[in-house]
Short mmCIF file of all heavy atoms in Angstrom, two decimals:
data_model
loop_
_atom_site.label_atom_id
_atom_site.label_comp_id
_atom_site.label_asym_id
_atom_site.label_seq_id
_atom_site.Cartn_x
_atom_site.Cartn_y
_atom_site.Cartn_z
N TYR A 1043 -1.54 -4.00 -5.30
CA TYR A 1043 -1.97 -4.13 -6.62
C TYR A 1043 -1.27 -2.93 -7.34
O TYR A 1043 -1.50 -1.84 -7.03
CB TYR A 1043 -3.43 -4.03 -6.75
CG TYR A 1043 -4.07 -4.52 -7.98
CD1 TYR A 1043 -5.12 -5.45 -8.11
CD2 TYR A 1043 -3.49 -4.12 -9.26
CE1 TYR A 1043 -5.59 -5.88 -9.35
CE2 TYR A 1043 -4.00 -4.59 -10.48
CZ TYR A 1043 -5.06 -5.46 -10.51
OH TYR A 1043 -5.59 -5.92 -11.65
N VAL A 1044 -0.44 -3.38 -8.34
CA VAL A 1044 0.23 -2.38 -9.17
C VAL A 1044 -0.18 -2.42 -10.55
O VAL A 1044 -0.45 -3.52 -11.13
CB VAL A 1044 1.75 -2.76 -9.08
CG1 VAL A 1044 2.58 -1.79 -10.07
CG2 VAL A 1044 2.37 -2.75 -7.75
N GLY A 1045 -0.47 -1.23 -11.17
CA GLY A 1045 -1.05 -1.10 -12.47
C GLY A 1045 0.05 -1.36 -13.55
O GLY A 1045 1.03 -2.00 -13.35
N GLU A 1046 -0.27 -0.84 -14.71
CA GLU A 1046 0.67 -0.93 -15.90
C GLU A 1046 1.60 0.28 -16.02
O GLU A 1046 1.24 1.40 -15.52
CB GLU A 1046 -0.14 -1.12 -17.18
CG GLU A 1046 -0.88 -2.37 -17.29
CD GLU A 1046 -1.53 -2.52 -18.60
OE1 GLU A 1046 -1.87 -1.51 -19.27
OE2 GLU A 1046 -1.81 -3.70 -19.06
N TRP A 1047 2.72 0.06 -16.57
CA TRP A 1047 3.70 1.09 -16.85
C TRP A 1047 4.22 1.85 -15.63
O TRP A 1047 4.56 2.98 -15.70
CB TRP A 1047 3.15 2.11 -17.92
CG TRP A 1047 2.51 1.45 -19.14
CD1 TRP A 1047 1.16 1.43 -19.33
CD2 TRP A 1047 3.18 0.75 -20.10
NE1 TRP A 1047 0.98 0.69 -20.53
CE2 TRP A 1047 2.21 0.30 -21.01
CE3 TRP A 1047 4.49 0.49 -20.33
CZ2 TRP A 1047 2.51 -0.38 -22.18
CZ3 TRP A 1047 4.90 -0.16 -21.54
CH2 TRP A 1047 3.88 -0.66 -22.44
N VAL A 1048 4.16 1.12 -14.53
CA VAL A 1048 4.69 1.56 -13.30
C VAL A 1048 6.19 1.29 -13.16
O VAL A 1048 6.65 0.19 -13.54
CB VAL A 1048 3.87 0.95 -12.02
CG1 VAL A 1048 4.49 1.35 -10.70
CG2 VAL A 1048 2.44 1.38 -12.23
N ASN A 1049 6.95 2.17 -12.53
CA ASN A 1049 8.32 1.97 -12.22
C ASN A 1049 8.57 2.18 -10.75
O ASN A 1049 8.42 3.31 -10.25
CB ASN A 1049 9.27 2.72 -13.06
CG ASN A 1049 10.74 2.26 -12.92
OD1 ASN A 1049 11.16 1.36 -13.57
ND2 ASN A 1049 11.52 2.94 -12.07
N LEU A 1050 8.92 1.13 -10.00
CA LEU A 1050 9.28 1.27 -8.58
C LEU A 1050 10.77 1.43 -8.45
O LEU A 1050 11.51 0.41 -8.73
CB LEU A 1050 8.66 0.09 -7.77
CG LEU A 1050 7.17 -0.09 -7.97
CD1 LEU A 1050 6.72 -1.32 -7.10
CD2 LEU A 1050 6.45 1.12 -7.49
N GLY A 1051 11.28 2.50 -8.00
CA GLY A 1051 12.64 2.72 -7.88
C GLY A 1051 13.32 1.76 -6.83
O GLY A 1051 12.66 1.16 -6.09
N ALA A 1052 14.63 1.67 -6.97
CA ALA A 1052 15.42 0.79 -6.11
C ALA A 1052 15.09 0.94 -4.67
O ALA A 1052 15.05 2.18 -4.21
CB ALA A 1052 16.90 0.96 -6.31
N LEU A 1053 14.83 -0.13 -3.91
CA LEU A 1053 14.55 -0.11 -2.50
C LEU A 1053 13.16 0.49 -2.19
O LEU A 1053 12.94 0.73 -0.95
CB LEU A 1053 15.73 0.66 -1.61
CG LEU A 1053 17.11 0.09 -1.83
CD1 LEU A 1053 18.09 0.83 -1.02
CD2 LEU A 1053 17.11 -1.37 -1.41
N THR A 1054 12.40 0.75 -3.09
CA THR A 1054 10.97 1.11 -2.82
C THR A 1054 10.28 -0.05 -2.06
O THR A 1054 10.43 -1.19 -2.48
CB THR A 1054 10.20 1.31 -4.08
OG1 THR A 1054 10.61 2.52 -4.68
CG2 THR A 1054 8.67 1.46 -3.84
N THR A 1055 9.81 0.28 -0.94
CA THR A 1055 9.19 -0.74 0.01
C THR A 1055 7.82 -0.28 0.54
O THR A 1055 7.69 0.83 0.85
CB THR A 1055 10.19 -1.00 1.14
OG1 THR A 1055 11.44 -1.64 0.64
CG2 THR A 1055 9.62 -1.87 2.28
N ASN A 1056 6.91 -1.29 0.64
CA ASN A 1056 5.63 -0.99 1.23
C ASN A 1056 5.49 -1.72 2.48
O ASN A 1056 5.88 -2.92 2.55
CB ASN A 1056 4.51 -1.07 0.32
CG ASN A 1056 3.99 -2.47 0.05
OD1 ASN A 1056 4.22 -3.09 -0.92
ND2 ASN A 1056 3.25 -3.02 1.03
N SER A 1057 4.79 -1.13 3.51
CA SER A 1057 4.35 -1.92 4.63
C SER A 1057 2.94 -2.55 4.36
O SER A 1057 2.13 -1.91 3.65
CB SER A 1057 4.22 -0.93 5.85
OG SER A 1057 3.43 -1.57 6.87
N ASP A 1058 2.75 -3.80 4.84
CA ASP A 1058 1.44 -4.40 4.63
C ASP A 1058 0.85 -4.90 5.88
O ASP A 1058 -0.13 -5.60 5.85
CB ASP A 1058 1.47 -5.53 3.59
CG ASP A 1058 2.43 -6.71 4.00
OD1 ASP A 1058 3.07 -6.55 5.04
OD2 ASP A 1058 2.49 -7.68 3.22
N LEU A 1059 1.51 -4.51 6.96
CA LEU A 1059 1.06 -4.91 8.32
C LEU A 1059 1.39 -3.77 9.32
O LEU A 1059 2.49 -3.41 9.48
CB LEU A 1059 1.72 -6.17 8.75
CG LEU A 1059 1.42 -6.83 10.12
CD1 LEU A 1059 0.01 -7.35 10.16
CD2 LEU A 1059 2.43 -7.92 10.54
N LYS A 1060 0.33 -3.48 10.08
CA LYS A 1060 0.50 -2.39 11.09
C LYS A 1060 1.17 -2.99 12.32
O LYS A 1060 0.99 -4.14 12.66
CB LYS A 1060 -0.81 -1.84 11.49
CG LYS A 1060 -1.53 -1.12 10.35
CD LYS A 1060 -2.93 -0.68 10.66
CE LYS A 1060 -3.04 0.33 11.73
NZ LYS A 1060 -4.49 0.73 11.89
N ASN A 1061 1.88 -2.15 13.06
CA ASN A 1061 2.66 -2.61 14.28
C ASN A 1061 1.78 -3.17 15.28
O ASN A 1061 2.14 -4.04 16.11
CB ASN A 1061 3.54 -1.47 14.80
CG ASN A 1061 4.71 -1.16 13.96
OD1 ASN A 1061 5.09 -2.00 13.08
ND2 ASN A 1061 5.24 0.02 14.07
N ASP A 1062 0.47 -2.67 15.39
CA ASP A 1062 -0.43 -3.21 16.44
C ASP A 1062 -1.34 -4.27 15.87
O ASP A 1062 -2.27 -4.76 16.65
CB ASP A 1062 -1.31 -1.99 16.97
CG ASP A 1062 -2.16 -1.36 15.92
OD1 ASP A 1062 -2.15 -1.83 14.83
OD2 ASP A 1062 -2.84 -0.41 16.25
N TYR A 1063 -1.01 -4.78 14.68
CA TYR A 1063 -1.85 -5.84 14.11
C TYR A 1063 -3.26 -5.62 14.03
O TYR A 1063 -4.06 -6.57 13.89
CB TYR A 1063 -1.61 -7.13 14.90
CG TYR A 1063 -0.20 -7.77 14.71
CD1 TYR A 1063 0.90 -7.12 15.09
CD2 TYR A 1063 -0.06 -9.03 14.02
CE1 TYR A 1063 2.18 -7.71 14.92
CE2 TYR A 1063 1.19 -9.56 13.80
CZ TYR A 1063 2.32 -8.94 14.23
OH TYR A 1063 3.53 -9.49 14.06
N SER A 1064 -3.73 -4.38 14.01
CA SER A 1064 -5.10 -4.09 13.79
C SER A 1064 -5.40 -3.97 12.19
O SER A 1064 -4.51 -4.02 11.41
CB SER A 1064 -5.49 -2.64 14.40
OG SER A 1064 -4.76 -1.63 13.79
N ASN A 1065 -6.74 -3.96 11.91
CA ASN A 1065 -7.18 -3.94 10.50
C ASN A 1065 -6.55 -2.71 9.83
O ASN A 1065 -6.51 -1.59 10.45
CB ASN A 1065 -8.62 -3.87 10.38
CG ASN A 1065 -9.30 -5.27 10.71
OD1 ASN A 1065 -8.61 -6.32 10.88
ND2 ASN A 1065 -10.59 -5.31 10.77
N VAL A 1066 -6.24 -2.90 8.53
CA VAL A 1066 -5.77 -1.78 7.73
C VAL A 1066 -7.04 -1.02 7.20
O VAL A 1066 -7.92 -1.59 6.77
CB VAL A 1066 -4.88 -2.32 6.57
CG1 VAL A 1066 -4.41 -1.19 5.70
CG2 VAL A 1066 -3.68 -3.13 7.17
N SER A 1067 -6.85 0.31 7.13
CA SER A 1067 -7.76 1.24 6.54
C SER A 1067 -7.22 1.86 5.28
O SER A 1067 -6.01 2.17 5.25
CB SER A 1067 -8.31 2.24 7.54
OG SER A 1067 -9.02 1.66 8.57
N VAL A 1068 -8.02 2.13 4.33
CA VAL A 1068 -7.62 2.76 3.01
C VAL A 1068 -8.52 3.89 2.70
O VAL A 1068 -9.68 3.79 2.79
CB VAL A 1068 -7.62 1.75 1.89
CG1 VAL A 1068 -7.30 2.39 0.55
CG2 VAL A 1068 -6.67 0.52 2.12
N SER A 1069 -7.89 5.00 2.27
CA SER A 1069 -8.66 6.14 1.84
C SER A 1069 -8.62 6.11 0.26
O SER A 1069 -7.64 6.07 -0.32
CB SER A 1069 -8.05 7.53 2.27
OG SER A 1069 -8.71 8.61 1.61
N LEU A 1070 -9.85 6.16 -0.33
CA LEU A 1070 -10.01 6.02 -1.78
C LEU A 1070 -9.74 7.43 -2.50
O LEU A 1070 -9.45 7.45 -3.62
CB LEU A 1070 -11.41 5.49 -2.10
CG LEU A 1070 -11.63 4.10 -1.65
CD1 LEU A 1070 -13.07 3.73 -1.88
CD2 LEU A 1070 -10.72 3.13 -2.42
N ASP A 1071 -10.09 8.46 -1.78
CA ASP A 1071 -10.00 9.85 -2.35
C ASP A 1071 -9.38 10.91 -1.45
O ASP A 1071 -9.46 12.09 -1.74
CB ASP A 1071 -11.33 10.24 -2.82
CG ASP A 1071 -12.38 10.38 -1.69
OD1 ASP A 1071 -11.95 10.07 -0.50
OD2 ASP A 1071 -13.54 10.67 -1.91
N GLY A 1072 -8.65 10.45 -0.42
CA GLY A 1072 -8.04 11.43 0.53
C GLY A 1072 -8.97 11.80 1.59
O GLY A 1072 -8.73 12.58 2.53
N GLY A 1073 -10.29 11.26 1.62
CA GLY A 1073 -11.20 11.58 2.67
C GLY A 1073 -11.23 10.43 3.69
O GLY A 1073 -10.22 9.82 4.04
N LYS A 1074 -12.47 10.10 4.18
CA LYS A 1074 -12.57 9.14 5.14
C LYS A 1074 -12.03 7.77 4.79
O LYS A 1074 -12.25 7.29 3.68
CB LYS A 1074 -14.04 9.01 5.63
CG LYS A 1074 -14.37 8.01 6.68
CD LYS A 1074 -15.83 7.96 7.07
CE LYS A 1074 -16.04 7.04 8.17
NZ LYS A 1074 -17.56 6.91 8.52
#
């Protein structure tokens, strides 16, 4: 999910799948 007025430079790439196929976890504020 990308907001407004964002610029992704050439070859910017994100991973969306872990190598072990386990569930993805996200930190909302740098904590748990």
Side-chain angles (χ1 to χ4, degrees):
Y1043 197 132
V1044 178
E1046 292 185 337
W1047 311 109
V1048 173
N1049 190 79
L1050 302 179
L1053 302 179
T1054 292
T1055 292
N1056 81 254
S1057 166
D1058 63 359
L1059 177 68
K1060 296 169 68 175
N1061 287 342
D1062 62 3
Y1063 286 66
S1064 61
N1065 286 352
V1066 178
S1067 295
V1068 175
S1069 173
L1070 295 171
D1071 59 0
K1074 184 179 179 181

